[in-house]
């Protein structure tokens, strides 16, 4: 049975897609069968693993709105053990199209059910909003990772996201847990970065991952090659940090490989 983890924060530019791509690739590198679901209309996760969104026939949109079987949307990536359900710009209209649909918050959960036994991990890359697609992702998920950048406005909007998670736990998905808060774009040379780390750890304590994701040029340039950082430069600090994160998640969950 898959562990489904949503990567969510309505704030843009915090490293959600970078985390989705590189955590998924790192879990795959550890030989865990992993599926990444691109639930962001920008489709950056799709292009970040080397797939042209314009050439995609079936995406998460068709699975949620047209009930296309999820297996018809899954595409293998260049990384062994890593598959993707791509996104495309049609997803922008999904929020409006779903408004009058019954059980609209459960569309993604239902779409993913047929493949739960096929993967060890399913990672969902959420869009930078708290709209219906993100709510679908959180209803489908077992847990959520919240990336927070080590910058001045780091905690801005975090309260709103945590409130949304609480509402979803009460009304739609009582099993949803917070997997952890992930500090991203860390620069050891900056006093501000270190202050943010200290503040977040003081406030959220054990909810914060031990792994810090640094600012790293290889992490930034890897998507332009259509590759996760681990395939672009396995020895880079960014790659090693995401491998550490994958190991931390595996350890925290006591995950054993399926099959």
């Amino acid at each position: 049975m898959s562990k489904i983890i949503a990567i969510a924060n309505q704030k843009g530019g915090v490293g959600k897609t970078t985390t989705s791509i590189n955590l998924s690739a790192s879990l795959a590198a550890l030989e865990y069968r992993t599926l990444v679901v691109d639930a962001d209309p920008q489709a950056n996760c799709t292009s970040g693993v080397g797939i042209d969104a314009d050439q995609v026939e079936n995406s998460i949109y068709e699975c949620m709105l047209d009930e296309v079987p999820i297996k018809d949307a899954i595409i293998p990536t260049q990384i062994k053990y890593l598959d993707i359900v791509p996104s495309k710009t049609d997803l922008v209209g999904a929020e409006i199209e779903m408004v009058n649909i019954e059980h609209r918050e459960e569309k993604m959960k239902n779409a993913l059910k047929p493949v739960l036994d096929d993967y060890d991990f399913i990672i969902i890359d959420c869009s930078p909003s708290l709209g219906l697609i993100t709510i679908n992702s959180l209803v489908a998920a077992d847990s959520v990772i919240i990336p927070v950048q080590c910058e001045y406005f780091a905690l801005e909007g975090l309260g709103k996201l945590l409130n949304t998670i609480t509402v979803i736990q009460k009304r739609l998905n009582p099993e949803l847990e917070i997997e952890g808060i992930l500090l991203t774009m860390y620069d050891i040379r900056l006093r501000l970065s270190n202050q943010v780390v200290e503040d977040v750890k003081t406030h959220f304590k054990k909810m914060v991952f031990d792994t810090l994701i640094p600012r790293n040029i290889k992490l930034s340039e890897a998507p332009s090659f259509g590759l996760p950082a681990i395939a672009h430069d396995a020895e880079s600090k960014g790659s090693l940090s995401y491998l550490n994160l994958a190991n931390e998640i595996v350890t925290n969950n006591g995950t054993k490989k399926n099959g």
Side-chain angles (χ1 to χ4, degrees):
M1 193 73 152
S2 303
K3 168 90 186 223
I4 305 177
I5 304 175
I7 316 288
N9 190 332
Q10 78 274 23
K11 217 169 169 299
V14 297
K16 277 191 302 296
T17 299
T18 299
T19 296
S20 299
I21 293 169
N22 291 293
L23 172 57
S24 300
S26 296
L27 289 166
L30 297 173
E31 298 187 357
Y32 287 93
R33 291 177 302 167
T34 306
L35 177 68
V36 60
V37 178
D38 191 348
D40 184 348
Q42 296 174 90
N44 290 335
C45 193
T46 301
S47 61
V49 295
I51 290 160
D52 183 351
D54 293 333
Q55 303 299 315
V56 165
E57 184 177 349
N58 292 317
S59 69
I60 192 63
Y61 171 88
E62 282 77 17
C63 298
M64 291 171 67
L65 273 295
D66 302 331
E67 297 185 2
V68 166
I70 194 85
K71 290 183 181 183
D72 291 349
I74 291 172
I75 301 173
T77 73
Q78 300 168 63
I79 309 290
K80 192 178 180 183
Y81 299 113
L82 179 61
D83 296 340
I84 186 169
V85 176
S87 180
K88 54 185 178 183
T89 51
D90 289 2
L91 199 58
V92 171
E95 306 258 339
I96 298 158
E97 292 176 57
M98 289 167 70
V99 165
N100 296 316
I101 294 176
E102 228 179 304
H103 305 299
R104 59 184 178 270
E105 299 92 353
E106 297 174 6
K107 285 292 181 183
M108 188 180 297
K109 180 181 180 179
N110 293 333
L112 291 173
K113 275 180 184 172
V115 294
L116 292 182
D117 290 331
D118 297 344
Y119 295 96
D120 300 299
F121 288 97
I122 296 176
I123 307 295
I124 306 174
D125 183 30
C126 298
S127 62
S129 76
L130 291 178
L132 202 43
I133 302 298
T134 297
I135 288 168
N136 258 270
S137 303
L138 294 173
V139 170
D142 300 306
S143 65
V144 55
I145 291 174
I146 304 169
V148 173
Q149 83 280 40
C150 295
E151 291 176 359
Y152 184 69
F153 293 113
L155 301 181
E156 191 182 67
L158 197 52
K160 191 175 178 184
L161 176 60
L162 293 172
N163 287 340
T164 300
I165 290 168
T166 302
V167 169
I168 286 169
Q169 287 167 328
K170 284 179 181 171
R171 298 183 187 172
L172 297 165
N173 184 2
E175 308 297 316
L176 182 65
E177 297 177 340
I178 294 176
E179 189 76 29
I181 293 171
L182 177 66
L183 290 159
T184 62
M185 304 178 196
Y186 174 68
D187 189 337
I188 195 169
R189 301 164 300 176
L190 297 181
R191 184 186 297 172
L192 178 61
S193 269
N194 291 303
Q195 186 63 52
V196 169
V197 171
E198 197 177 310
D199 289 351
V200 173
K201 286 193 170 180
T202 300
H203 198 271
F204 294 102
K205 301 183 171 66
K206 289 184 179 177
M207 283 170 65
V208 186
F209 285 110
D210 293 333
T211 303
L212 296 171
I213 306 299
R215 283 196 179 279
N216 180 249
I217 190 70
K218 297 296 182 183
L219 279 180
S220 302
E221 69 183 22
S224 66
F225 293 92
L227 291 170
I230 199 166
H232 177 54
D233 184 347
E235 297 300 315
S236 70
K237 283 184 179 177
S239 300
L240 296 173
S241 296
Y242 276 110
L243 265 176
N244 288 341
L245 177 64
N247 276 308
E248 194 173 342
I249 288 167
V250 166
T251 302
N252 290 349
N253 284 281
T255 309
K256 292 185 172 63
K257 291 168 190 163
N258 286 327

